[in-house]
Amino acid sequence: MESEKNMDKYEAYKAMKANLSKAMKSEFYYQAIFIEYAIIEDRCLSALVHAGVKYQDSKGNELSLARKIEKMRKNPAFTNSYVRERITEELLDQILEWKRERDRLIHALAKIPYDNEHVKNVAEQGIELVRILDNKVRIINRHFDSVSNKESE
């Protein structure tokens, strides 16, 4: 059952990345930004899960992206040198700054004039953050899993 769940997750993630690529090629930058946000949030959640860090509030709701990043900034699982060299304070700051800019764009969606170049830049920044974060989370998840496996032996 766990294997099937992992395969479903893999297929969904693969589809999101393909849709992100299509959105960028088609110049659908808002669509790209929505997908980037979802991937970034998923990658942060994955890191928290693999680290064994609580990712829900007291009511069982998943934490916001900003709260996930705060956990990644402060939780001891993320402050050791191995993890911090990969998930740096600078990377976390870049993600939060990108998120703030994304939020501004979303709230100003109907405002005129539409600045396609700015939206394109935010989408391009997002795709780069997705690439970096995906790579770093994959590395630290293997680290967390190996530490967990050693502890359970």
Side-chain angles (χ1 to χ4, degrees):
M1 186 67 179
E2 185 66 31
S3 174
E4 189 175 307
K5 182 180 170 188
N6 287 342
M7 201 60 188
D8 290 345
K9 174 95 173 164
Y10 169 78
E11 289 299 325
Y13 192 71
K14 191 169 126 182
M16 278 198 312
K17 290 191 107 176
N19 287 335
L20 175 56
S21 180
K22 287 179 196 172
M24 290 298 290
K25 285 178 185 159
S26 300
E27 299 182 9
F28 296 152
Y29 300 123
Y30 274 106
Q31 181 178 357
I33 290 167
F34 287 132
I35 296 167
E36 291 161 356
Y37 186 90
I39 292 172
I40 289 170
E41 193 158 40
D42 176 76
R43 297 292 72 212
C44 290
L45 174 63
S46 178
L48 292 173
V49 168
H50 283 263
V53 175
K54 187 177 176 192
Y55 58 90
Q56 295 175 322
D57 64 18
S58 60
K59 295 178 182 171
N61 299 315
E62 190 175 308
L63 298 175
S64 68
L65 178 57
R67 298 262 328 271
K68 288 175 187 152
I69 289 173
E70 190 65 23
K71 290 236 181 204
M72 292 170 74
R73 194 181 297 280
K74 293 183 176 178
N75 188 282
F78 290 89
T79 58
N80 74 62
S81 62
Y82 182 85
V83 176
R84 185 53 72 218
E85 287 171 9
R86 287 147 184 86
I87 304 290
T88 64
E89 292 281 344
E90 179 185 7
L91 177 58
L92 297 175
D93 289 343
Q94 289 172 341
I95 292 168
L96 285 175
E97 181 53 40
W98 177 84
K99 178 198 171 304
R100 281 190 286 277
E101 194 54 38
R102 173 248 183 220
D103 292 349
R104 280 189 215 104
L105 287 174
I106 301 307
H107 293 296
L109 197 56
K111 288 191 179 172
I112 298 184
Y114 173 75
D115 185 351
N116 190 61
E117 199 58 35
H118 180 64
V119 177
K120 177 183 178 183
N121 288 337
V122 173
E124 288 172 343
Q125 290 168 6
I127 206 163
E128 182 64 10
L129 286 171
V130 163
R131 186 188 66 72
I132 292 168
L133 185 64
D134 187 37
N135 179 274
K136 301 298 183 184
V137 167
R138 201 172 304 123
I139 291 167
I140 66 164
N141 282 355
R142 281 195 299 265
H143 167 74
F144 290 138
D145 292 347
S146 71
V147 168
S148 176
N149 288 339
K150 286 178 186 173
E151 290 173 356
S152 65
E153 290 178 351

